[in-house]
Amino acid sequence: MIHYSFNDRILPVDNDGFYGNFGGAYVPAELKARLDEVNAAYREAIADPEFVKTFESLMHDYVGRPTPLYKAEALSQKYGARIYLKREDLNHTGAHKINNAIGMGLLAKRMGKKRVIAETGAGQHGVAAATVCALLGLECTIYMGATDIERQQPNVQRMRMLGAKVVAANEGNSTLNNAVDAALAAWVNEPDTFYLIGSAVGPHPYPEIVARFQSIISAEIKAQLQMMEGRSNPDYVVAAIGGGSNAAGAFYHFLNAPDVKLIAVEAAGKGINTELNAASITSGHSGILHGSRTMVTQDKDGNVREAYSISAGLDYPGIGPLQAMLAEDGRTSVLTANDNEAIDAAFRTTRLEGIIPALESAHALAALEKLELKPDDIVVVNLSGRGDKDMFTYMQAVNIGC
Ligand SMILES: *Cc1c(COP(=O)(O)O)cnc(C)c1O
């Protein structure tokens, strides 16, 4: 079992939740009070060895951690470098989201909350949250855009089987963006409820809490690389960014190691120069979204523009404040992969390695085409999730000749 320590000062965040020019908590006073309550409980929890021990044993026995760090020989040969895949796809429920959901579920219990609300887009976080609520005996309500409920039926059914109530958000495009609004609005009026957010976004302290629970990914990478390569730092870490939680986890313990190049990959959808992308950093502007200052996809008038990506987990119009800061400071290099590049990378990885990646993770794999790698370079790609949920999209792509 790998022991996790949350006793570090690695995150570049101040007491008000600012990451450089980004972050904060731009919310009404009633909501600020709820956030302060979460913040205090969270700080107490991560300093409590019992809490960390419970988290660790659930990660080990329930989620199946540590996830393997797999040396992908065929991809290594193809790209002329030492390519490793961090197998978050092998987690219980099929993605990294369960790490954070369990951490926050334990926090909700500790705070004496009986009820959890969460938002979901594609349904991956909804399933993770509903799973944790079943495990810990918490009541669960998931807000989901009406459009997403229509197109993500298998995940809706999973959430219902797990005992969660799925509530439709009907505003706007009826997608993830509106589901977050609905969850935040409901939370204000419900003091017994814990808001279990799904990515490193939203008002302080949420981006910090999510990044920290996900930081176990890079804690494991370091230990595993030390065993396998005799050094704990790779040359590159590559991760796709939707809200930025799997990237935060994969980058975390390398943030202060400037020799490790951090590559964040945004979804370019139908193209960076179209209105159909989810590239909040590459094509967006600074703005306030869901209580936080960050990079936001915007239309010509400065209104939030709905994001688009073939991958439902990446089509969020914002990005966590940590990722916005890292990009602005040049600590990360931000690349993009469009729909077709992601589909190609998914098929390539499947045929070469026998691993069907989630469409989100396929965006990170697509970036391998764009790096100039040397034979001794060690590259870790965070394989954030498995592709079962994307089979329909993959089959459609084959039919149209991708
Ligand atoms: C939700 C999701 C993402 C995107 O969210 P982040 O918070 O940016 O990690 C990426 N991969 C998978 C498999 C997901 O389910």
Side-chain angles (χ1 to χ4, degrees):
M1 192 188 303
I2 290 184
H3 293 292
Y4 309 118
S5 166
F6 297 125
N7 185 20
D8 65 64
R9 306 193 139 264
I10 292 173
L11 269 189
V13 60
D14 71 16
N15 287 337
D16 298 318
F18 281 94
Y19 302 74
N21 297 319
F22 303 102
Y26 296 86
V27 294
E30 319 87 82
L31 205 52
K32 185 66 174 53
R34 314 296 304 284
L35 292 165
D36 290 345
E37 187 198 356
V38 171
N39 193 25
Y42 152 71
R43 272 166 222 289
E44 232 184 69
I46 59 167
D48 176 357
E50 277 305 308
F51 179 89
V52 177
K53 217 169 99 191
T54 309
F55 177 76
E56 271 175 3
S57 55
L58 283 175
M59 286 297 126
H60 185 266
D61 303 333
Y62 186 74
V63 176
R65 303 198 72 93
T67 57
L69 184 67
Y70 164 68
K71 172 89 182 292
E73 292 292 353
L75 285 176
S76 296
Q77 198 155 26
K78 172 162 176 58
Y79 292 109
R82 307 169 76 77
I83 312 285
Y84 284 86
L85 304 179
K86 180 59 173 162
R87 300 290 309 275
E88 293 300 298
D89 59 316
L90 295 178
N91 285 328
H92 179 45
T93 68
H96 67 292
K97 289 203 172 74
I98 192 77
N99 305 328
N100 167 61
I102 286 190
M104 283 205 200
L106 291 175
L107 189 55
K109 277 294 251 202
R110 187 184 168 94
M111 292 172 75
K113 304 291 181 189
K114 302 276 182 283
R115 230 182 127 235
V116 160
I117 56 173
E119 81 299 330
T120 197
Q124 291 302 103
H125 175 58
V127 169
T131 298
V132 168
C133 288
L135 173 71
L136 300 178
L138 293 159
E139 219 185 289
C140 185
T141 302
I142 306 288
Y143 290 86
M144 191 169 184
T147 309
D148 286 335
I149 291 181
E150 283 295 310
R151 62 184 181 183
Q152 308 291 342
Q153 270 301 309
N155 274 342
V156 173
Q157 285 155 2
R158 271 180 208 115
M159 288 178 244
R160 291 193 169 132
M161 180 159 175
L162 287 158
K165 197 168 122 199
V166 180
V167 174
N170 288 311
E171 302 293 312
N173 274 18
S174 297
T175 59
L176 176 60
N177 188 22
N178 319 108
V180 179
D181 287 333
L184 282 170
W187 193 37
V188 179
N189 301 316
E190 298 171 14
D192 283 341
T193 298
F194 185 90
Y195 181 22
L196 206 169
I197 205 163
S199 187
V201 301
H204 180 64
Y206 277 111
E208 172 175 345
I209 299 177
V210 178
R212 200 173 293 255
F213 286 137
Q214 294 293 0
S215 73
I216 62 174
I217 298 173
S218 48
E220 289 179 5
I221 293 172
K222 277 182 95 77
Q224 290 167 320
L225 268 185
Q226 185 62 46
M227 299 258 293
M228 298 168 85
E229 291 278 359
R231 62 171 160 119
S232 59
N233 285 0
D235 297 288
Y236 293 86
V237 182
V238 186
I241 46 176
S245 73
N246 87 86
F251 295 169
Y252 194 98
H253 288 284
F254 304 113
L255 287 175
N256 296 329
D259 51 320
V260 182
K261 299 178 196 70
L262 306 177
I263 312 292
V265 187
E266 294 196 299
K270 302 278 186 209
I272 283 301
N273 298 321
T274 71
E275 294 248 294
L276 293 173
N277 63 63
S280 324
I281 296 171
T282 308
S283 81
H285 303 277
S286 177
I288 292 181
L289 181 68
H290 300 139
S292 171
R293 175 165 288 283
T294 190
M295 297 298 286
V296 183
T297 55
Q298 294 175 14
D299 64 18
K300 288 188 287 293
D301 303 324
N303 301 314
V304 176
R305 166 169 66 71
E306 286 293 335
Y308 162 84
S309 164
I310 193 169
S311 149
L314 297 181
D315 68 358
Y316 180 66
I319 179 73
L322 170 67
Q323 300 300 331
M325 175 197 185
L326 295 174
E328 184 171 83
D329 289 356
R331 179 65 191 91
T332 51
S333 303
V334 181
L335 303 183
T336 62
N338 65 30
D339 289 356
N340 291 335
E341 290 167 330
I343 295 276
D344 286 348
F347 277 87
R348 198 181 306 123
T349 305
T350 302
R351 295 294 167 84
L352 287 176
E353 299 290 348
I355 296 170
I356 302 178
L359 255 170
E360 294 83 3
S361 322
H363 285 73
L365 291 160
L368 289 171
E369 297 277 315
K370 307 183 181 192
L371 299 174
E372 280 177 28
L373 300 174
K374 300 193 294 294
D376 285 339
D377 283 342
I378 297 176
V379 182
V380 177
V381 180
N382 199 36
L383 199 76
S384 53
R386 65 181 180 225
D388 312 35
K389 67 185 176 60
D390 299 311
M391 285 318 298
F392 183 71
T393 310
Y394 287 148
M395 288 305 100
Q396 267 188 329
V398 178
N399 291 339
I400 60 172
C402 271

